[in-house]
Amino acid sequence: MRKIINPWVNKEGYNCFGCAPGNPIGLHLQFFEQDDEIVSFWQPQSHFQGWVGVLHGGIISTLLDETAGWVVTRKLQAAGMTARLNVTFKQPVRSDETQITIRARIREQRGRLVFINCTLENAHADICAEAEAVYSVMSTEKSQEMGFEKCDVEPELLLPF
């Protein structure tokens, strides 16, 4: 497993809710590449709950969508945007979970559309939510206009925890 280097960190105006390390109210997600998957590990906090003790469905959707976006960034070396996100909530996620694991991988690509399967697991490895994200992949020129150059990984293998 290799940690993905965030290519946006030094871009002016970068303040993504999902992955910007400097966003004071963001999720601060980091991503890892493991074979054909992009993986993220995250620990919920009570201020992300919906109902008492339960993680908000919008946050779950954001975690899945953001991880799918990083599939495009790393695997396709391009910028992209969500065209569609279909989430199936299988069971509640506690807002006091010690760790959530989000996994995403390309299922299929048709032209500029890429279909990405995602899962969100609780600390017991129970799948709590699944999603199919459809991303519109930007051309090399448009990606460069958006400030994207390339997305690399750290040279050494890492264990996230």
Side-chain angles (χ1 to χ4, degrees):
M1 185 173 298
R2 294 181 190 271
K3 184 173 187 234
I4 297 173
I5 300 168
N6 186 331
W8 310 105
V9 169
N10 296 318
K11 304 294 180 198
E12 186 176 334
Y14 167 65
N15 199 33
C16 177
F17 177 72
C19 64
N23 184 329
I25 62 167
L27 301 176
H28 307 136
L29 293 170
Q30 295 182 4
F31 299 92
F32 300 84
E33 183 175 50
Q34 184 175 34
D35 303 320
D36 63 341
E37 286 187 327
I38 300 301
V39 182
S40 185
F41 305 95
W42 186 72
Q43 186 174 359
Q45 298 168 11
S46 63
H47 60 271
F48 291 120
Q49 69 182 354
W51 182 246
V52 176
V54 177
L55 194 60
H56 192 284
I59 297 297
I60 292 170
S61 298
T62 301
L63 293 165
L64 293 161
D65 183 39
E66 185 72 15
T67 306
W70 278 80
V71 169
V72 174
T73 301
R74 173 65 188 150
K75 297 297 189 180
L76 301 179
Q77 293 293 308
M81 60 182 254
T82 310
R84 185 174 65 233
L85 180 68
N86 293 322
V87 179
T88 302
F89 300 94
K90 299 173 95 45
Q91 67 182 46
V93 179
R94 302 228 9 107
S95 58
D96 62 356
E97 284 286 338
T98 55
Q99 178 178 284
I100 289 174
T101 303
I102 310 100
R103 300 177 185 280
R105 69 172 51 170
I106 294 173
R107 186 194 65 185
E108 174 183 3
Q109 187 169 3
R110 285 188 242 147
R112 292 241 171 254
L113 293 180
V114 62
F115 298 78
I116 301 167
N117 289 343
C118 311
T119 59
L120 184 143
E121 303 169 6
N122 64 16
H124 305 288
D126 301 321
I127 295 178
C128 299
E130 296 176 324
E132 178 192 61
V134 180
Y135 263 71
S136 178
V137 180
M138 296 180 189
S139 67
T140 301
E141 296 76 25
K142 185 64 175 172
S143 293
Q144 289 171 347
E145 285 177 27
M146 300 280 297
F148 179 80
E149 295 171 20
K150 65 179 178 175
C151 181
D152 288 325
V153 292
E154 296 285 342
E156 69 276 354
L157 293 174
L158 295 176
L159 297 175
F161 294 98

